[in-house]
Amino acid sequence: MDEELRSLTERLRQESGGTAEYRQLARTEDPDDLAAVLTAAGRPLWARELAAFRLGVAGDRRAFESLVLLLNHRDPPRCASAAYALARLGDPRTARAAAALATNELRVAYALHPVRLLVTLRAPESVPALITTLRRRLRPHDPYRRVALACVEGLGALGDARARPVLDEALAHPPLAEAAVHALARLPRRG
């Protein structure tokens, strides 16, 4: 069993109380049974998350909307499991959705996992979204340093020269300076 699935199933087993419904959802191999959970009224969040995750890692695009909602959840483990499943889903809408969540200033407290997902996806939307998000985090006393750091590290990993100006700005911010130095070193040399 994949480590991410093991972690998710243990967390959701505890959340559900290990009910028969939980055991059935964790065991079923029928994607239609899982998809039905996503559209049925009154299903608990743990059931929707388990169904969406299992469908997502199986490449079933019926999970897309549920996974995007979970990617923007206030509970970091839900965001992490959604990002993992979305990275494996293979839906062309994923990068655009992650970029919209990462750059949504009203939900910036929950932008960490969308930022990390954009780095994993390496999509055309990734670098512009990370630059936008990082630039907004470079204000004095910004409380979202983890998001800013993820952007700096992600821009270094992506290695796109368009990131150079914002990474140069990040050098002036002590919590980001060391990561910015490393990120800048990974960019193509100026020619």
Side-chain angles (χ1 to χ4, degrees), residues 57-117:
V57 296
D60 190 318
R61 292 185 181 172
R62 292 178 287 183
F64 176 76
E65 288 83 6
S66 296
L67 289 171
V68 169
L69 289 172
L70 290 165
L71 182 64
N72 196 33
H73 198 273
R74 68 181 175 274
D75 185 13
R78 292 197 202 286
C79 300
S81 68
Y84 181 89
L86 281 164
R88 283 142 189 83
L89 180 60
D91 192 302
R93 301 171 290 175
T94 300
R96 191 170 46 246
L101 293 174
T103 59
N104 182 343
E105 201 57 16
L106 298 175
R107 302 288 292 174
V108 69
Y110 311 111
L112 182 62
H113 291 284
V115 164
R116 290 178 177 164
L117 177 57

Side-chain angles (χ1 to χ4, degrees), residues 48-188:
R48 293 180 190 282
E49 182 180 2
L50 181 56
F53 181 90
R54 293 197 59 215
L55 287 169
V57 296
D60 190 318
R61 292 185 181 172
R62 292 178 287 183
F64 176 76
E65 288 83 6
S66 296
L67 289 171
V68 169
L69 289 172
L70 290 165
L71 182 64
N72 196 33
H73 198 273
R74 68 181 175 274
D75 185 13
R78 292 197 202 286
C79 300
S81 68
Y84 181 89
L86 281 164
R88 283 142 189 83
L89 180 60
D91 192 302
R93 301 171 290 175
T94 300
R96 191 170 46 246
L101 293 174
T103 59
N104 182 343
E105 201 57 16
L106 298 175
R107 302 288 292 174
V108 69
Y110 311 111
L112 182 62
H113 291 284
V115 164
R116 290 178 177 164
L117 177 57
L118 285 166
V119 176
T120 299
L121 295 174
R122 303 180 87 76
E125 296 88 346
S126 297
V127 171
L130 268 61
I131 289 171
T132 297
T133 303
L134 178 57
R135 186 161 281 126
R136 293 174 180 164
R137 305 285 59 85
L138 296 179
R139 296 182 212 137
H141 312 294
D142 185 85
Y144 305 109
R145 286 294 173 209
R146 289 185 65 207
V147 173
L149 184 59
C151 289
V152 169
E153 292 170 348
L155 288 167
L158 293 170
D160 190 306
R162 294 176 293 174
R164 188 174 302 283
V166 74
L167 289 172
D168 283 338
E169 289 176 48
L171 291 171
H173 297 265
L176 303 175
E178 184 177 345
V181 167
H182 293 294
L184 284 163
R186 297 178 77 178
L187 299 185

